[in-house]
Amino acid sequence: MSIQQNLNNIKSQLPANVTLVAVSKTKPVTDLMEAYNAGQRIFGENKIQEMADKWEQMPKDIQWHMIGHVQTNKVKYMAPFVSLVHGVDSFKLLKEINKQAAKNNRVIDCLLQVFIAEEETKFGLDEKELEEILISEEFKELKNIKIVGLMGMATFTDNQTQIEKEFKNLKSIFDNLQNQPTTQNLQPTTLSMGMSGDYKLAISCGSTMVRIGSSIFGGR
């Protein structure tokens, strides 16, 4: 099937409140343009340099999402254009995004990445760290970022019960976050969880944003 057919097929199955991020990392601009011409406007990349190169070459109505692990020293390269940073896993990184956003006269939307998996390799904050950031005075002073929700990655396993448990755990953390008073830089509406293999389960557990790559563009 073509990229366009894959895209239409997936979109037809997504509820209206769920946003599709087409994960286009390692894919050539020609593939991305095929998805663009089929109506896709949100693309997710995991390397800042590759994302910046594609941003320069492609139409400017695209929203670029940084979905990979972010190194603080690379933030400046995406600060002029990035729409949403999914993997904010430390306060240090959040401060750097705020600093670079200010230099570009922007407010950059961010998701805080919560560690929900039973793997040591995944990045993210635990609930206590998440809470400590959000109640700190220093966080309240960040004027050039906005926390619009949470992101999490389930354990890489075939055990659907475990994945479901992790997704539901993240959803309950997200619900707690939504019950907190919103501020200028905390307006949580987005729960980003679910990828090609588990996005249907993620949606059933309350995800509002799914990151799908191989099911659109084919395997790596």
Side-chain angles (χ1 to χ4, degrees), residues 13-138:
Q13 300 170 36
L14 293 183
N17 69 321
V18 175
T19 302
L20 171 63
V21 180
V23 177
S24 49
K25 59 184 184 184
T26 74
K27 297 299 175 186
V29 167
T30 46
D31 284 11
L32 276 72
M33 281 309 300
E34 197 181 324
Y36 178 88
N37 291 329
Q40 182 63 22
R41 291 294 181 272
I42 303 176
F43 292 91
E45 292 282 333
N46 71 338
K47 291 197 165 62
I48 290 175
Q49 195 54 59
E50 184 182 342
M51 181 170 72
D53 291 345
K54 288 173 177 173
W55 169 69
E56 283 176 4
Q57 296 174 57
M58 291 183 66
K60 293 299 173 264
D61 60 340
I62 291 173
Q63 291 183 35
W64 292 98
H65 287 201
M66 180 61 196
I67 60 170
H69 180 63
V70 179
Q71 294 168 296
T72 42
N73 62 342
K74 301 247 174 91
V75 171
K76 58 179 177 281
Y77 300 116
M78 66 174 176
F81 68 90
V82 71
S83 288
L84 180 64
V85 184
H86 284 238
V88 179
D89 58 4
S90 70
F91 191 58
K92 180 182 158 211
L93 175 57
L94 197 60
K95 284 193 293 189
E96 182 62 22
I97 295 169
N98 185 74
K99 182 175 122 185
Q100 298 299 336
K103 285 185 185 174
N104 287 276
N105 254 335
R106 298 187 65 211
V107 174
I108 294 178
D109 287 351
C110 298
L111 299 174
L112 291 173
Q113 182 171 355
V114 180
F115 182 82
I116 53 170
E118 291 186 13
E119 290 169 355
E120 288 306 306
T121 53
K122 297 268 196 297
F123 296 98
L125 305 157
D126 62 31
E127 275 185 85
K128 188 164 178 288
E129 291 168 324
L130 179 70
E131 197 177 333
E132 281 169 359
I133 288 175
L134 296 177
I135 60 174
S136 71
E137 288 305 314
E138 212 179 345

Side-chain angles (χ1 to χ4, degrees), residues 170-214:
L170 184 58
K171 174 69 164 77
S172 75
I173 298 169
F174 179 66
D175 290 343
N176 289 341
L177 183 63
Q178 283 196 305
N179 289 332
Q180 294 186 21
T182 56
T183 57
Q184 182 196 340
N185 62 359
L186 177 64
Q187 296 175 27
T189 54
T190 301
L191 181 55
S192 171
M193 61 183 191
M195 302 187 288
S196 284
D198 55 21
Y199 72 91
K200 289 177 183 169
L201 180 57
I203 290 168
S204 74
C205 294
S207 173
T208 67
M209 182 175 280
V210 291
R211 311 178 295 274
I212 300 178
S214 52

Side-chain angles (χ1 to χ4, degrees), residues 141-161:
E141 286 161 17
L142 302 181
K143 300 284 184 258
N144 291 83
I145 53 97
K146 185 163 72 179
I147 302 300
V148 295
L150 301 178
M151 183 271 255
M153 294 166 78
T155 304
F156 189 68
T157 173
D158 292 330
N159 182 342
Q160 295 298 304
T161 315

